[in-house]
Amino acid sequence: MIKFLNLREINRQFEKELKEAASRVIDSGWYLLGKELNTFEDNYAKFCDAKYCVGVANGLDALRLIFKAYIELGIMKKGDEVIIPANTFIASVLAVTDNDLIPVLVEPNDRTYNIDSSKIVSAITPKTKAILTVHLYGQNSIDDTMLDLCKKHNLKLIEDAAQSHGAQWKNKVMGSIGDAAGHSFYPGKNLGALGDSGAVTSNDQELINMVRNLANYGSSKKYEHSHKGLNSRMDEIQAAFLDVKLKYIHKDIEARRKVANYYLKHITNPLITLPKLLEQSGHVWHLFVIRLKQRDKLKDYLLENNVQTLIHYPIAPHKQKAYKDLNNQSYPITEKMQHEVLSLPISATLDVNKLQKIVNLINTFKV
């Protein structure tokens, strides 16, 4: 079986260093808010070309804390609107509604799958305070139109960089372009922990100080709580693991690009719509997503031939039971995508023999 993602095989590449890191943390006797976290925060901020980084418990909390911090700073208030791509994982929307902000969904471009910036302007109202843009599948979603709209309407630009570690646009790294960015280190991500973790990056020191305070029970000094905060902290062992894997992230990105380029070059079945690679986007290929009307038949066909695929995401946020108030809204492009997208295996450990098998099966698929 060619697994969609073989985490055991991926992490085996770093086994010696990961075990050394675990032993170092265990022997230290210090497991939260210590040296390992400080080191990773510094290194990840440099990697993103951002001034500051705060390690938190997970990617959802990273986004939740950004909005909560802006509310505490008086920049946003409950009932304000945030523009979000309709085509995204539900966490993007949860971060907004958890802070009693109103999500305003905008359709994606049907080739890049990211938010269509030309459609944002019509969604802006006097209540709009931010755009939460998602670098979906590992490709940059920011463009000059988006930046101009933020400047013209005094909007915060928040990056959901959960899938885009190291992606670039105009030589700028994701996580340093907007006012703030939320990152996920879920195990399956390009930079994945051996558990759950996340981070916030920003060049805004005031925002970062507030995020750090809120993530630690609303406290900057032990037993003194200036805000109603959360408990959302990256632990020392995950920070140590991530710092090991961060050293190899550029190598991983290049390996992913080779896999993606192989797919782009060799998949020739006319039933398949391949992803569009934007010029200067610096795509890091967290996911390689194809589209076809016969998606479910191809998925079953590949599985019958021992190739595992996944669907990201089969139900759009506005069609989820959790958001019944949005169920009647219509986003045709997003709804079409949810029935057509299929994610193929992609990782640094996927060898050419497996790639050839996958591509041959796709090219011989018929309806």
Side-chain angles (χ1 to χ4, degrees):
M1 173 69 72
I2 299 175
K3 293 184 177 181
F4 176 76
L5 186 64
N6 191 331
L7 289 176
R8 179 180 295 179
E9 190 175 74
I10 289 169
N11 287 314
R12 188 177 291 131
Q13 302 172 98
F14 322 108
E15 183 175 2
K16 182 175 182 293
E17 290 181 78
L18 290 173
K19 288 180 177 179
E20 289 172 352
S23 294
R24 184 173 68 248
V25 174
I26 293 167
D27 292 343
S28 74
W30 194 279
Y31 308 124
L32 284 171
L33 302 179
K35 179 181 177 181
E36 301 290 347
L37 178 60
N38 292 337
T39 298
F40 175 71
E41 287 178 341
D42 288 345
N43 289 337
Y44 194 66
K46 291 175 184 175
F47 171 76
C48 293
D49 200 23
K51 290 183 179 179
Y52 311 106
C53 172
V54 179
V56 298
N58 53 68
L60 173 56
D61 276 7
L63 295 173
R64 290 171 67 209
L65 285 160
I66 290 169
F67 288 112
K68 188 172 179 64
Y70 278 131
I71 291 171
E72 293 293 331
L73 291 168
I75 293 170
M76 297 181 192
K77 65 181 184 301
K78 294 179 179 181
D80 283 342
E81 295 175 354
V82 179
I83 291 173
I84 309 175
N87 180 45
T88 186
F89 182 54
I90 197 170
S92 310
V93 186
L94 287 170
V96 173
T97 58
D98 189 62
N99 283 286
D100 295 318
L101 300 168
I102 308 301
V104 177
L105 305 181
V106 171
E107 287 269 57
N109 178 293
D110 67 355
R111 289 300 309 278
T112 68
Y113 311 134
N114 282 322
I115 192 169
D116 188 336
S117 60
S118 69
K119 297 177 181 177
I120 292 175
V121 64
S122 62
I124 296 174
T125 75
K127 289 187 175 182
T128 308
K129 298 299 179 185
I131 298 172
L132 175 59
T133 189
V134 181
H135 306 310
L136 199 66
Y137 308 151
Q139 179 156 235
N140 162 60
S141 61
I142 295 173
D143 60 17
D144 290 325
T145 298
M146 189 182 295
L147 294 176
D148 290 344
L149 286 172
C150 288
K151 184 176 181 180
K152 180 180 179 179
H153 297 277
N154 193 29
L155 306 178
K156 294 296 183 184
L157 179 58
I158 300 164
E159 300 176 63
D160 183 336
Q163 300 184 5
S164 61
H165 313 99
Q168 296 185 16
W169 177 65
K170 292 185 175 181
N171 296 317
K172 296 178 181 178
V173 184
M174 301 301 98
S176 65
I177 303 174
D179 295 284
H183 306 256
S184 169
F185 306 118
Y186 179 78
K189 296 295 170 66
N190 293 21
L191 181 61
L194 275 70
D196 225 337
S197 289
V200 174
T201 57
S202 179
N203 294 320
D204 183 342
Q205 186 173 21
E206 185 179 30
L207 174 71
I208 284 291
N209 289 344
M210 181 59 74
V211 168
R212 194 178 295 281
N213 176 294
L214 291 170
N216 188 38
Y217 298 98
S219 173
S220 300
K221 184 178 179 180
K222 194 169 184 177
Y223 298 131
E224 295 183 14
H225 304 269
S226 53
H227 299 86
K228 296 176 182 177
L230 311 172
N231 174 18
S232 182
R233 302 172 296 195
M234 181 187 295
D235 62 65
E236 286 285 278
I237 202 160
Q238 296 303 335
F241 288 157
L242 287 167
D243 206 50
V244 167
K245 297 178 76 173
L246 183 61
K247 294 186 295 183
Y248 303 98
I249 187 67
H250 289 296
K251 181 180 178 182
D252 180 89
I253 290 170
E254 288 308 311
R256 286 176 173 274
R257 286 176 176 159
K258 287 181 180 179
V259 172
N261 288 335
Y262 188 93
Y263 282 144
L264 291 170
K265 182 178 179 180
H266 292 95
I267 293 176
T268 57
N269 190 324
L271 297 172
I272 306 295
T273 298
L274 293 168
K276 181 177 177 60
L277 177 62
L278 296 175
E279 186 178 359
Q280 293 183 311
S281 69
H283 203 321
V284 294
W285 298 104
H286 170 58
L287 297 173
F288 190 95
V289 180
I290 61 173
R291 287 173 57 196
L292 72 161
K293 292 180 180 178
Q294 305 84 359
R295 186 268 311 281
D296 293 337
K297 289 184 178 179
L298 176 59
K299 187 178 190 301
D300 291 343
Y301 171 71
L302 290 173
L303 188 59
E304 288 168 4
N305 287 277
N306 296 312
V307 175
Q308 186 183 54
T309 58
L310 290 180
I311 300 171
H312 298 86
Y313 304 96
I315 305 175
H318 73 284
K319 293 297 184 182
Q320 298 284 354
K321 290 181 180 179
Y323 287 105
K324 292 180 180 178
D325 55 322
L326 301 178
N327 286 174
N328 291 329
Q329 294 186 15
S330 176
Y331 300 96
I333 297 174
T334 297
E335 290 158 22
K336 183 179 180 182
M337 285 180 178
Q338 75 181 42
H339 296 296
E340 294 183 355
V341 292
L342 185 67
S343 300
L344 302 182
I346 184 167
S347 78
T349 61
L350 198 61
D351 63 44
V352 68
N353 291 327
K354 292 177 181 177
L355 281 172
Q356 287 175 346
K357 177 178 179 179
I358 295 167
V359 168
N360 288 339
L361 286 168
I362 291 172
N363 286 340
T364 57
F365 172 73
K366 298 178 182 179
V367 294

